[in-house]
Amino acid sequence: MSSYYGSDGYESHGGYGDYRHSDSAKPHVNAGTLWAGGAATALVAALVGVVATLVVTGVFDIPVIAPATADGAVDYIGAVWLAGFGVVGSLLATALAHLLLLVAPRPMAFLGWIVGLVTVVFAVWPFTIAVDIEVQVASALVYVVMGIAIGSLVTGMATKALDD
């Protein structure tokens, strides 16, 4: 009878053998791969910010807006500031991905939703400020392109880091 129990994964004392959950069932995250991808994403997001600002401001002569100052005045930003925002956003998304990979049941689904909703917030935000419609649309498009770049790259790298 013990051969029966041994052949289907049960131990002879009626335990669960191979069916038991163990610590090895936890996901293995290659942090080096994840953060190297996060750094590369930060570089790409910075360059997207620079290119987008140069195109919108330099070619179309439309300013890109930034969060208002404390007194409510509208600030216009340059390529360097938008590049910095891209770097910070990329690193925050990478940190969030790392956390979700360790604790969430479907980490990429949650990451996609969170990055997507943050991108929507930034895309809608220019329309809450009293500026010309062309400034609102251009700024929203810049933020959407940066959000797509950050979201797609961090999600792809997080998936790769989980597979390693």
Side-chain angles (χ1 to χ4, degrees):
M1 203 171 217
S2 65
S3 65
Y4 172 76
Y5 288 113
S7 66
D8 71 347
Y10 287 95
E11 296 174 5
S12 60
H13 58 73
Y16 288 97
D18 293 339
Y19 297 116
R20 182 177 298 158
H21 294 286
S22 67
D23 289 338
S24 65
K26 291 181 181 178
H28 172 62
V29 178
N30 185 332
T33 299
L34 178 65
W35 284 97
T41 300
L43 177 61
V44 170
L47 291 172
V48 167
V50 168
V51 170
T53 304
L54 290 176
V55 169
V56 170
T57 305
V59 175
F60 297 110
D61 198 29
I62 302 171
V64 178
I65 56 176
T69 58
D71 63 0
V74 175
D75 282 342
Y76 296 102
I77 58 174
V80 174
W81 280 105
L82 199 55
F85 293 151
V87 168
V88 170
S90 297
L91 295 177
L92 288 173
T94 302
L96 177 64
H98 198 166
L99 175 67
L100 290 173
L101 285 171
L102 294 174
V103 300
R106 291 188 57 213
M108 294 303 97
F110 288 107
L111 181 65
W113 271 97
I114 293 168
V115 171
L117 289 170
V118 169
T119 301
V120 168
V121 167
F122 276 95
V124 170
W125 170 76
F127 297 99
T128 66
I129 297 174
V131 293
D132 294 336
I133 188 71
E134 64 186 13
V135 174
Q136 293 172 330
V137 170
S139 297
L141 288 174
V142 167
Y143 296 139
V144 166
V145 170
M146 288 185 74
I148 290 171
I150 291 169
S152 63
L153 291 172
V154 170
T155 300
M157 199 45 54
T159 302
K160 175 69 175 153
L162 192 59
D163 290 342
D164 283 348

